[in-house]
Amino acid sequence: MTAAEGTRLARVRAGMEVARIDALLLSLGADLPWLTGYEAMPLERLTMLVIPLASEPLLVVPLLEEPRVPALTRELAGVRAWSEDEDPIELVAAALPDRRGSFAVSDRMWAAPLLALQDRLPGARWSPASTVTGPVRAVKDASEIAALEAAAASADRVAADLQSGAIPVGGRTERQVAADIGRRLVEEGHQRVNFAIVASGPNGASPHHEPTDRVIVAGDTVVCDFGGTLSLASGAGYCSDITRTLSVGEPTADVLVRYEALAASQAAGRATARAGVVASAVDAAARSVIDEAGFGARFVHRTGHGIGVEEHEDPYLVAGNPEVLVPGNAFSIEPGIYEPGRFGMRLEDIVVIDPDGTGRSINGADRSLVVVDP
Ligand code: ZN
Ligand code: ZN
Ligand code: ZN
């Protein structure tokens, strides 16, 4: 077991103790690869790592999947491969310290095996694994921050290609531009592309717009928001996520006045993010700038989300979140202004809280409204 994995398991166990969880049950989703280096295939056949609070972990895995279980995982957990004539639900139940305990299960596991487990263990209490793993995953160690920095630098190079015209935008469809972004993310070291939003003209007013065959023309703003997962030698990969907005030809005064407010809002968010500040205060700092400029009603989403082995994880920078930021947190700051039927704009960086408590953007691509050729 490497030091990092050992530390993670120890931190997870400490979290289980605080949350009074008798066993953590990890199946599909990011917790299992983050903790053990093994990613379960999204099969109907059950894979489940049982981590009792006080005894050895056991990975219950389909026999045909067993060859994929890496050595790293085998150092952390015993492996029980089940054949097609066995009942994996019973194997999981038998590995629990107490059938009437308190169990935390992967947030993204299939409903069907969870319902079967609940049926088999009528006296048990259930909660999502994120109540234990969320706070642990939200505090990254130095190697995780380095992986996020590498992912951010890769995404920056793709953003620079859009801003320089190396990926042309004018006269092309959103879908064509999105395909180029995806290809460049992979060339820059990403193992997979998680999303590539290209939202031009009126489509920019929909924050999560899916690229279409709309041809990008002079006078459009183009919101480009993309990210992927960078490969790591072992275990889970870390994500990138960046947004830059382009102007195809010179922007109108309406666009410029809003972009000025947007850039100031994002800078205010970055300046506020540091250890000891509550997450909601970063949202408030970014939001107040757009409110004061008169566009508050057009900023329709939270300011940011944590990022790590998943694109969206704790901490969320949203009104009402009282979580206090600490060194090791990594999250986006991404205010936007959306004018239905007309245009939209968003500006997004990933910010990390350094060991000395200061916030630092790990994205360096030009934050201005770059004008590209029609
Ligand atoms: Zn989003
Ligand atoms: Zn994004
Ligand atoms: Zn984001």
Side-chain angles (χ1 to χ4, degrees):
M1 154 184 350
T2 68
E5 273 73 29
T7 306
R8 283 179 196 174
L9 183 56
R11 291 169 66 206
V12 163
R13 282 222 162 98
M16 288 168 66
E17 208 150 4
V18 170
R20 298 175 177 278
I21 299 297
D22 298 309
L24 184 63
L25 306 178
L26 299 184
S27 184
L28 299 183
D31 285 334
L32 182 59
W34 167 79
L35 187 61
T36 73
Y38 180 61
E39 184 164 11
M41 281 228 179
L43 302 173
E44 74 290 358
R45 293 184 180 94
L46 182 67
T47 295
M48 185 160 267
L49 176 66
V50 181
I51 306 175
L53 183 58
S55 53
E56 281 306 293
L58 180 70
L59 179 67
V60 174
V61 63
L63 184 60
L64 78 167
E65 293 296 302
E66 197 205 358
R68 294 180 53 244
V69 178
L72 184 71
T73 312
R74 295 171 193 274
E75 287 168 27
L76 274 172
V79 175
R80 174 63 166 88
W82 59 274
S83 54
E84 307 278 35
D85 59 356
E86 286 184 291
D87 174 11
I89 298 296
E90 193 49 42
L91 293 176
V92 169
L96 297 170
D98 170 6
R99 287 185 168 237
R100 303 172 59 84
S102 179
F103 307 126
V105 296
S106 285
D107 295 38
R108 304 202 199 317
M109 75 171 284
W110 298 126
L114 175 58
L115 291 170
L117 262 173
Q118 290 182 319
D119 200 47
R120 199 71 57 91
L121 303 166
R125 275 157 296 130
W126 303 91
S127 52
S130 58
T131 55
V132 173
T133 57
V136 181
R137 280 173 45 189
V139 181
K140 275 78 177 172
D141 63 28
S143 72
E144 294 180 289
I145 296 292
L148 285 167
E149 286 172 338
S154 295
D156 276 346
R157 291 191 285 272
V158 180
D161 281 355
L162 286 159
Q163 294 172 326
S164 72
I167 298 176
V169 166
R172 305 179 73 211
T173 68
E174 292 173 343
R175 231 191 278 273
Q176 288 171 327
V177 175
D180 280 0
I181 290 170
R183 179 179 50 78
R184 289 287 296 121
L185 282 171
V186 171
E187 284 172 4
E188 290 292 346
H190 286 81
Q191 189 173 36
R192 59 174 179 244
V193 177
N194 296 331
F195 60 94
I197 296 170
V198 177
S200 64
N203 293 340
S206 169
H208 280 169
H209 173 71
E210 287 278 336
T212 66
D213 288 323
R214 181 182 186 276
V215 176
I216 298 166
V217 296
D220 284 348
T221 62
V222 186
V223 180
C224 301
D225 182 353
F226 47 91
T229 304
L230 209 70
S231 55
L232 271 193
S234 66
Y238 285 77
C239 294
S240 63
D241 184 7
I242 186 172
T243 309
R244 291 296 183 265
T245 299
L246 307 171
S247 176
V248 183
E250 289 303 322
T252 64
D254 270 2
V255 168
L256 275 178
V257 68
R258 285 165 181 77
Y259 198 86
E260 198 177 320
L262 177 70
S265 160
Q266 206 249 6
R270 282 187 282 117
T272 306
R274 61 181 175 277
V277 168
V278 294
S280 60
V282 180
D283 179 80
R287 198 166 299 279
S288 67
V289 174
I290 291 179
D291 280 346
E292 278 161 30
F295 308 117
R298 301 303 186 202
F299 178 12
V300 295
H301 53 72
R302 67 191 174 210
T303 292
H305 54 83
I307 186 168
V309 294
E310 283 185 285
E311 290 283 359
H312 291 184
E313 57 183 54
D314 287 334
Y316 291 94
L317 306 183
V318 60
N321 183 358
E323 272 179 82
V324 175
L325 300 179
V326 296
N329 283 161
F331 46 81
S332 71
I333 295 187
E334 52 177 308
I337 298 175
Y338 309 94
E339 295 290 349
R342 299 177 64 200
F343 58 81
M345 56 183 64
R346 182 163 64 254
L347 177 59
E348 174 178 30
D349 282 6
I350 302 304
V351 167
V352 300
I353 306 294
D354 278 332
D356 69 359
T358 57
R360 173 172 58 93
S361 172
I362 59 172
N363 287 109
D366 189 344
R367 297 188 185 92
S368 62
L369 180 67
V370 172
V371 176
V372 297
D373 291 338

